[in-house]
């Protein structure tokens, strides 16, 4: 595997890293992560295509771009990958609303499934897609046997629209599946939030898609405010500091759900992912040191398949973590770098939802407020 990275910053493209003997004509895959307004102004597809004419080119908007051990904003980071032993296939699905999310997952799996499929990367619109339904359909179609990871595109903290493109300039309503095929490709995963739970688990008794109306016998927003105490006066902004963990059944591992908005009239809360009736939820609170340490733990977990350092690490973290960590955001990327060492190429972005397996399971989940890491190596 040989890799070149380019950055568009301050109106100019420049090479920021390149491995030995890299040949742009042999690149099979380019992952380009950029701030939405920068992508709209730059329309970078043709420039990238001219550089890497044989490549499948995936472009998506972000809530922050990750390169090396730093976090950028208002840039485009393009990572061009020349595989030695791996074949790349891609598929694009366009949707008009979130009700088409499950069928989109089925279409992606049908297009990519093969005996030598090693992993699927998913880059999805982050505003119009029900990520939970998308991932559930992918899991079912692949029979939980194929590692799946990736993320939902972001739009800084604006939440206006997100963009994704495959072999074209990015636009709304697009989901891209990337299949990597090889017997020798090693793939690792790690994901962790680092949030502290408090209070008992309670049952969701009334909800619709991602809107939570009732927990137990109380209105969701009322009980949430009880737990927040003095922070309740700082809603909706304070919600980023107090996400919920959610388990669909008692046997499931908990996933974190970000609160996007609150409704004082209906006393409800809207989340970045499904909150199904009957699920078990628990309140969580931020501890900045634990959030940063979680990134290092996720990186360590992603090393399990490797004897040494992986060649490439894809980091997808949540916009909520970026907003909570503030000036300390780069520390979670630095924590991953400390685990990988200097030889691993790192790229990634801040998202509206993270896609990854957890705790060694192949079955993937939609996460919020986590650092998820996918590692790849042909060595």
């Amino acid at each position: 595997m040989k890799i070149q990275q380019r950055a568009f910053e301050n109106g100019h493209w420049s090479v920021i890293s390149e491995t030995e003997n890299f040949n742009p004509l042999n690149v099979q895959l380019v992952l380009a992560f950029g701030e939405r307004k920068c992508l709209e102004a730059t329309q970078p597809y043709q420039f990238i295509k001219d550089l890497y004419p044989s490549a499948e080119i995936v472009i998506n908007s972000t809530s922050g771009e990750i390169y090396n051990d730093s976090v950028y904003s208002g840039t485009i980071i393009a990572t061009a990958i020349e595989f030695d032993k791996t074949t790349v296939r891609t598929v694009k699905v366009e949707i008009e609303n979130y009700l088409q999310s499950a069928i989109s997952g089925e279409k992606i799996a049908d297009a990519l499934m093969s005996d030598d499929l090693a992993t699927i990367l998913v880059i999805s619109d982050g505003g119009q897609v029900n990520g939970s339904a998308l991932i559930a359909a992918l899991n079912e179609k692949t029979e939980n046997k194929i590692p799946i990871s990736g993320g939902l595109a972001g739009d800084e903290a604006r939440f206006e629209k997100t963009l994704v493109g495959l072999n074209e300039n990015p636009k709304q309503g697009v989901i891209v599946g990337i299949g990597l095929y090889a017997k020798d490709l090693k793939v690792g995963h790690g994901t962790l939030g680092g949030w502290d739970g408090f209070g008992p688990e309670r049952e969701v008794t009334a909800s619709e898609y991602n809107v939570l109306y009732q927990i137990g016998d109380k209105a969701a927003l009322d009980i949430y405010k009880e737990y927040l105490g003095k922070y309740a006066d700082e809603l909706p902004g304070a919600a980023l500091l107090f996400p919920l963990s959610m388990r669909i059944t008692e046997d499931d591992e908990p996933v974190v759900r970000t609160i996007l908005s609150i409704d004082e009239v209906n006393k409800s809360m809207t989340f970045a992912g499904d909150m199904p009736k009957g699920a078990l939820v628990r309140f969580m609170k931020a501890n900045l040191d634990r959030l940063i340490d979680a990134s290092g733990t996720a990186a360590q977990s992603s090393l399990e398949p490797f004897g040494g350092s992986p060649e490439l690490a894809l980091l997808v973290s949540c916009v909520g973590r970026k907003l909570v960590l503030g000036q300390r955001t780069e520390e979670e990327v630095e924590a991953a770098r400390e685990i990988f060492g200097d030889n691993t190429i790192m790229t990634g972005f801040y998202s509206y939802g993270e896609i990854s397996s957890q705790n060694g399971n192949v079955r993937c989940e939609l996460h919020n407020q986590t650092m998820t890491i996918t590692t790849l190596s042909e060595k």
Side-chain angles (χ1 to χ4, degrees), residues 66 68-70 190 291-303 309-310 313-317 321 329-347 350 371-375:
I66 296 172
N68 199 7
D69 54 1
S70 298
L291 293 181
I292 293 166
D293 290 344
S295 178
T297 302
Q300 190 66 53
S301 297
S302 76
L303 290 180
S309 298
L314 171 62
L315 282 64
V316 181
S317 188
R321 295 173 68 87
T329 300
E330 286 194 349
E331 292 184 40
E332 73 166 355
V333 180
E334 292 167 355
R337 169 59 74 194
E338 289 179 7
I339 298 298
F340 293 134
D342 296 332
N343 294 327
T344 298
I345 301 294
M346 286 172 46
T347 188
Y350 281 81
M371 168 62 85
T372 65
I373 301 177
T374 302
T375 44

Side-chain angles (χ1 to χ4, degrees), residues 81-98:
I81 308 166
E82 177 189 351
F83 290 103
D84 297 321
K85 308 172 185 178
T86 301
T87 301
V88 178
R89 282 167 45 192
T90 59
V91 59
K92 178 183 76 171
V93 179
E94 297 188 35
I95 70 168
E96 296 177 353
N97 61 67
Y98 73 88

Side-chain angles (χ1 to χ4, degrees), residues 41-56:
T42 307
Q43 298 290 295
Y45 169 69
Q46 192 58 54
F47 176 82
I48 297 172
K49 182 65 175 177
D50 290 343
L51 289 171
Y52 315 109
S54 300
E56 300 293 314

Side-chain angles (χ1 to χ4, degrees), residues 31-44:
L31 301 174
F33 308 132
E35 189 267 330
R36 190 256 297 176
K37 291 187 177 182
C38 183
L39 291 176
E40 290 177 326
T42 307
Q43 298 290 295

Side-chain angles (χ1 to χ4, degrees), residues 15-86:
V15 176
I16 50 180
S17 73
E18 182 177 303
T19 55
E20 189 175 359
N21 298 320
F22 173 84
N23 185 346
L25 299 180
N26 294 335
V27 169
Q28 296 107 308
L29 178 63
V30 177
L31 301 174
F33 308 132
E35 189 267 330
R36 190 256 297 176
K37 291 187 177 182
C38 183
L39 291 176
E40 290 177 326
T42 307
Q43 298 290 295
Y45 169 69
Q46 192 58 54
F47 176 82
I48 297 172
K49 182 65 175 177
D50 290 343
L51 289 171
Y52 315 109
S54 300
E56 300 293 314
I57 299 169
V58 182
I59 306 171
N60 68 272
S61 62
T62 79
S63 295
E65 303 82 59
I66 296 172
Y67 159 66
N68 199 7
D69 54 1
S70 298
V71 179
Y72 296 82
S73 182
T75 68
I76 305 170
I77 306 295
T79 301
I81 308 166
E82 177 189 351
F83 290 103
D84 297 321
K85 308 172 185 178
T86 301

